[in-house]
Amino acid sequence: MAMKDYSDEFKADAVALYESTPGAIYKSIAADLGINRATLREWVLRDRERRGVTAAGAKPAAGRLAAVSPADPDERVRRLEARVAELEASERKLATERDILRKAAKYFAGGDELVISRFQFVDDHRATYEVKRLCQVLDVNRSSYYKWLAGAEARASRKHQDRVLAEQIRRVHGESGGAYGSPRVTAELREKGHRVNEKRVARIMRTFSITGIRLRRRVRTTVPDPASGQVADLFGRDFTATEPGRKLMGDITYLPLQGGKFLYLATVLDCFSRKIVGWSIADHMRTDLVADALRMAARTRGSLDGAVFHSDHGAQYGSRAYASLCDQLKVTRSMGAVGTSADNAACESFHASLKRETLQGAHDYGDATACRRTVFAWLTRYNTRRRHSTNGHLSPDAYERRHHSAKLTLAA
């Protein structure tokens, strides 16, 4: 079911997502957000008008043809043919470069080996394209490439030595139960009589994906409020529902930023379809964070009258202000046991999926703006397009549409 009205923050995030997506079209972005194409276009045009941005109306191609209009028809044909030949040559060059870059994508994983990967790509494709063209497109020096090529035998020897050392590292790492990082592995190897450098051990462990146990700093988001009254557990770890808008769950998770800072995300999940019907992102964990998420859920559903909202015992959910908001929206509160995440497992699982799919192994989202944009895009796409195993691999929106259609069929 579509949101009844949209907050200014949602509109701003939607416009920012459209403006920051390369090659974006209204239809695709609107589908991700679950809104009408015309609505998104209206928001974008209104925002551009507010910022004084206008679309450029110049058409260079028309100007070029207008300039080529001599009196002699044969001369005009000659010039046009020359121009067509020029454009065709340019198109062939661009097609070749696109083909090279498309094939090169898998070589460029980044990191210390990026330049070496470019040299390897040139060497692998020199029979198809000129070395000069390959080096130009990949922005590498030809002399550096030939110097790299001359050292092939020495590199092969070093790679063999690295593989031998990697096997020794794996044995030490396995004996430690997978707990040792490069410093302890180096010490163990030295004790066994191997003359090794810790930097080399660390490099080989990275190359061969041998990692020790690294405990990440835990950010506490659930702080019980001793002054809050007792709230019963009305869920009993049953996270299913027979209708949308009947059983809701909420939780807070942290979003790591560069420099050790954080943003915080509060979500409201509908147990029927696992749809995120409300969310809020802020740089604090005050009650306003969870209250804004619940208000968005009320706008999304139109009404939360009679719904049960389940959460942990965080101070935000136990506050008098939040209890008052629930009473205002005619929502009944429910809370799990203190100190157990199993009573809020659906939300915990959702937040784990969000971070896994948005961070993709990175330690942070970068700055706050990039974080908001990334999470906003994922949340909207989660509802409209991401297939969910609980829904028989339908997206939350598709699952609710199917349920609504089935009800109409039965009613008929």
Side-chain angles (χ1 to χ4, degrees):
M1 183 181 297
M3 191 182 297
K4 296 299 181 183
D5 65 72
Y6 301 91
S7 65
D8 291 340
E9 181 182 2
F10 184 94
K11 294 176 182 179
D13 285 339
V15 171
L17 177 63
Y18 173 80
E19 297 285 21
S20 64
T21 303
I25 59 174
Y26 289 117
K27 182 178 180 181
S28 176
I29 298 298
D32 281 349
L33 299 178
I35 62 177
N36 186 275
R37 174 190 176 279
T39 300
L40 176 61
R41 183 175 182 273
E42 180 184 349
W43 293 348
V44 172
L45 294 180
R46 191 181 302 163
D47 181 74
R48 289 178 177 175
E49 182 179 356
R50 178 183 60 80
R51 293 184 288 115
V53 177
T54 58
K59 296 183 178 180
R64 286 181 179 272
L65 289 175
V68 183
S69 56
D72 184 4
D74 291 338
E75 177 63 16
R76 188 170 186 273
V77 170
R78 188 187 66 78
R79 291 189 184 185
L80 288 173
E81 288 177 342
R83 178 59 180 160
V84 169
E86 179 186 341
L87 291 173
E88 288 177 343
S90 177
E91 175 61 26
R92 285 194 298 271
K93 180 181 177 183
L94 289 173
T96 300
E97 292 178 354
R98 283 196 301 269
D99 190 42
I100 291 172
L101 291 173
R102 186 172 60 251
K103 293 178 180 178
K106 66 178 181 180
Y107 285 75
F108 301 156
D112 297 336
E113 302 297 320
L114 179 57
V115 175
I116 295 176
S117 296
R118 293 181 181 183
F119 290 154
Q120 186 63 58
F121 180 82
V122 172
D123 197 51
D124 290 345
H125 294 81
R126 59 187 301 179
T128 306
Y129 309 102
E130 293 180 345
V131 171
K132 179 180 178 180
R133 173 60 63 82
L134 287 166
C135 290
Q136 286 175 341
V137 173
L138 301 181
D139 194 26
V140 295
N141 191 292
R142 259 195 299 171
S143 61
S144 298
Y145 160 70
Y146 286 118
K147 183 177 180 181
W148 172 85
L149 195 60
E153 186 175 341
R155 284 197 306 279
S157 176
R158 284 196 299 271
K159 285 184 178 180
H160 173 72
Q161 294 169 9
D162 284 351
R163 284 194 294 270
V164 172
L165 181 55
E167 289 304 313
Q168 296 167 346
I169 291 173
R170 280 200 180 93
R171 280 196 291 271
V172 172
H173 186 256
E175 291 168 0
S176 73
Y180 281 4
S182 59
R184 288 188 174 88
V185 169
T186 303
E188 187 76 16
L189 288 172
R190 286 174 178 171
E191 188 173 309
K192 293 178 181 291
H194 300 286
R195 297 179 60 184
V196 290
N197 180 285
E198 184 185 331
K199 289 184 178 179
R200 186 184 177 202
V201 170
R203 174 179 60 79
I204 292 176
M205 289 182 71
R206 286 195 305 271
T207 301
F208 290 87
S209 300
I210 306 171
T211 57
I213 295 174
R214 183 179 302 171
L215 299 178
R216 296 186 65 179
R217 179 161 63 97
R218 188 175 183 272
V219 179
R220 191 182 185 194
T221 55
T222 303
V223 182
D225 183 359
S228 63
Q230 292 294 320
V231 177
D233 182 356
L234 303 179
F235 269 36
R237 300 187 182 180
D238 178 8
F239 307 125
T240 62
T242 57
E243 291 287 334
R246 295 290 181 264
K247 294 172 68 175
L248 309 174
M249 299 184 69
D251 200 5
I252 302 173
T253 191
Y254 72 96
L255 305 172
L257 306 179
Q258 60 189 10
K261 298 180 180 180
F262 299 94
L263 289 179
Y264 300 92
L265 168 69
T267 52
V268 179
L269 180 148
D270 193 312
C271 291
F272 173 74
S273 61
R274 295 299 196 269
K275 178 173 181 172
I276 297 301
V277 292
W279 71 80
S280 179
I281 301 174
D283 58 359
H284 61 79
M285 288 198 299
R286 296 190 293 272
T287 301
D288 286 346
L289 176 69
V290 295
D292 287 344
L294 189 63
R295 290 190 186 98
M296 179 180 175
R299 293 195 303 271
T300 301
R301 288 306 188 197
S303 172
L304 296 181
D305 190 352
V308 177
F309 178 84
H310 185 80
S311 69
D312 57 29
H313 282 262
Q316 303 85 350
Y317 295 112
S319 67
R320 292 184 179 87
Y322 194 77
S324 176
L325 176 62
C326 288
D327 290 341
Q328 177 187 334
L329 298 174
K330 298 181 181 180
V331 172
T332 302
R333 290 189 298 156
S334 168
M335 287 187 176
V338 177
T340 174
S341 61
D343 288 346
N344 216 20
C347 278
E348 297 277 352
S349 176
F350 169 79
H351 287 156
S353 296
L354 182 151
K355 291 182 182 178
R356 182 175 62 252
E357 296 182 21
T358 53
L359 284 172
Q360 297 183 355
H363 294 289
D364 61 67
Y365 290 94
D367 60 23
T369 300
C371 176
R372 286 177 180 273
R373 190 168 295 157
T374 299
V375 173
F376 173 76
W378 191 90
L379 287 171
T380 52
R381 187 175 179 84
Y382 167 89
N383 281 338
T384 59
R385 296 195 178 187
R386 186 183 179 276
R387 297 180 184 275
H388 202 296
S389 57
T390 303
N391 298 338
H393 294 290
L394 293 174
S395 71
D397 279 357
Y399 187 74
E400 291 191 3
R401 285 195 299 270
R402 188 178 72 173
H403 174 75
H404 182 65
S405 297
K407 286 185 64 176
L408 291 177
T409 301
L410 288 174

